[in-house]
């Protein structure tokens, strides 16, 4: 397998079920990735070291998922110049709203691209990482075009089935 260019990290292994959706999207585009657990609060030094070393380890995009206070993506963004995509995860009685706000409300100059809460967001994080990498990789760009065409065909098929069932 080729060397990872995307890193998927999560604040806890309990986030793995959600973050696997990002991995599935990257698999669809043939993009090599790594996965790890690191915490903005429980292992802040490890998290900062991870973020600082990511570029020299060949990582080009970081996807960070976290629930609750959800500071992981922001802490990583503070320690790297790589693009960081935050995935809010529902883990409290607030159903992910707390995670969404913690991830999206970054101070000026420390951006985190934030996607939807949960599995749809993790999928979109994988697709967004592919779009970033496709800027200088025509093979990934072609796969993204195929992905868009597949989505359009799916809608056409659903429309056809609906019209047939309504007769």
């Amino acid at each position: 397998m080729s060397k990872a260019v995307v890193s998927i990290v999560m604040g806890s292994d309990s986030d793995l079920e959600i973050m696997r959706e990002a991995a599935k999207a990257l698999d669809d585009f043939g993009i090599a990735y790594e996965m790890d657990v690191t915490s903005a609060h429980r292992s802040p030094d490890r998290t900062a070291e991870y973020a600082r070393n990511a570029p020299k380890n060949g990582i080009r995009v970081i996807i960070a998922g976290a629930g609750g206070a959800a500071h992981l993506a922001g802490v990583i963004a503070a320690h790297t110049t790589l693009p960081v995509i935050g995935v809010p995860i529902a883990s409290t009685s607030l159903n992910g709203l707390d995670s969404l706000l913690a991830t999206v409300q970054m101070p000026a100059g420390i951006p985190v691209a934030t996607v939807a809460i949960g599995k749809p967001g993790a999928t979109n994080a994988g697709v967004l990482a592919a779009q970033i990498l496709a800027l200088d990789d025509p093979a990934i760009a072609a796969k993204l075009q195929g992905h868009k065409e597949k989505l359009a065909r799916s809608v056409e098929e659903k429309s056809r089935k609906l019209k047939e069932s309504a007769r």
Side-chain angles (χ1 to χ4, degrees), residues 42-86:
R42 293 181 298 271
S43 60
D45 293 336
R46 181 178 196 276
T47 300
E49 181 180 347
Y50 154 81
R52 283 191 297 268
N53 290 327
K56 75 178 181 187
N57 291 331
I59 301 302
R60 298 187 53 216
V61 180
I62 297 170
I63 299 172
H71 294 127
L72 182 59
V75 168
I76 289 170
H79 291 281
T80 188
T81 58
L82 294 175
V84 177
I85 304 168

Side-chain angles (χ1 to χ4, degrees), residues 6 10 21 58 89 127 139 141 144-145:
V6 176
M10 58 210 83
E21 299 302 314
I89 296 177
V127 174
L144 280 163
Q145 185 59 41

Side-chain angles (χ1 to χ4, degrees), residues 59-126:
I59 301 302
R60 298 187 53 216
V61 180
I62 297 170
I63 299 172
H71 294 127
L72 182 59
V75 168
I76 289 170
H79 291 281
T80 188
T81 58
L82 294 175
V84 177
I85 304 168
V87 179
I89 296 177
S91 64
T92 70
S93 60
L94 297 176
N95 295 318
L97 183 57
D98 50 345
S99 305
L100 173 65
L101 294 174
T103 304
V104 78
Q105 292 289 41
M106 293 299 298
I110 310 293
V112 170
T114 306
V115 295
I117 298 166
K119 287 184 177 184
T123 297
N124 282 344

